[in-house]
Amino acid sequence: MQKIEHIGIAVKDLDIAENIYSLLLNTPSYKREEVTSEHVITSFFKSGPNKIELLTATDEASAIHKFIEKKGEGIHHIAFAVEDIYSEMSRLKADGFVLLNDVPKKGADNKLVCFVHPKSANGVLVELCQEITPTTE
Ligand code: ZN
């Protein structure tokens, strides 16, 4: 793991949340992106070297919808940048971590992603992400 890449926050209303976070961080969202496979719309903020990802559900099939129903709005996941997602996934699998997908998926913001089940990490949903470059495609 290289560093925390971003923190994901589940929100009910993206417009309202974008407003709040642009005031809080004193900078506007630099990107909005829908991830249709995940039934979410994301919005990204930079705060110095750090990133915040707001996520809202597009429909009830979304994991974000289920999360908010159960727990309310709030921190949804912590994402770590990795150099080689395939080798990190096999390393974690070998150490008994439960991965939510067997192969990396295309996530928001030009990333290959894989999620680690919260039951494997003391209740925290962990995302591994690797920047997509011409060599990873
Ligand atoms: Zn994320």
Side-chain angles (χ1 to χ4, degrees):
M1 308 266 188
Q2 296 172 315
K3 59 165 188 172
I4 291 179
E5 214 283 330
H6 63 269
I7 293 172
I9 298 172
V11 306
K12 280 184 191 164
D13 185 309
L14 195 56
D15 290 325
I16 292 172
E18 260 183 0
N19 226 335
I20 291 169
Y21 277 82
S22 59
L23 288 170
L24 178 72
L25 302 173
N26 200 22
T27 184
S29 163
Y30 69 90
K31 182 196 265 187
R32 239 194 209 212
E33 185 180 345
E34 180 163 0
V35 184
T36 47
S37 59
E38 298 297 309
H39 307 263
V40 295
I41 302 171
T42 62
S43 177
F44 286 92
F45 291 83
K46 283 196 176 106
S47 173
N50 303 306
K51 271 165 56 179
I52 299 286
E53 173 187 37
L54 304 179
L55 303 112
T56 196
T58 53
D59 57 56
E60 297 193 355
S62 169
I64 295 299
H65 174 79
K66 288 166 204 154
F67 178 88
I68 289 175
E69 289 272 279
K70 222 168 125 184
K71 298 186 170 173
E73 293 184 295
I75 293 181
H76 178 257
H77 64 269
I78 298 180
F80 291 93
V82 298
E83 211 167 320
D84 180 347
I85 196 164
Y86 293 93
S87 74
E88 283 298 308
M89 284 171 70
S90 31
R91 181 181 72 82
L92 292 174
K93 222 187 247 175
D95 279 335
F97 287 88
V98 177
L99 305 182
L100 292 180
N101 39 304
D102 288 328
V103 288
K105 295 193 284 189
K106 177 107 172 48
D109 209 21
N110 196 42
K111 299 278 192 293
L112 281 177
V113 304
C114 173
F115 286 93
V116 180
H117 198 289
K119 76 179 176 201
S120 291
N122 303 77
V124 176
L125 177 63
V126 171
E127 175 184 354
L128 309 177
C129 57
Q130 178 183 355
E131 191 84 26
I132 297 173
T133 64
T135 53
T136 48
E137 283 195 286

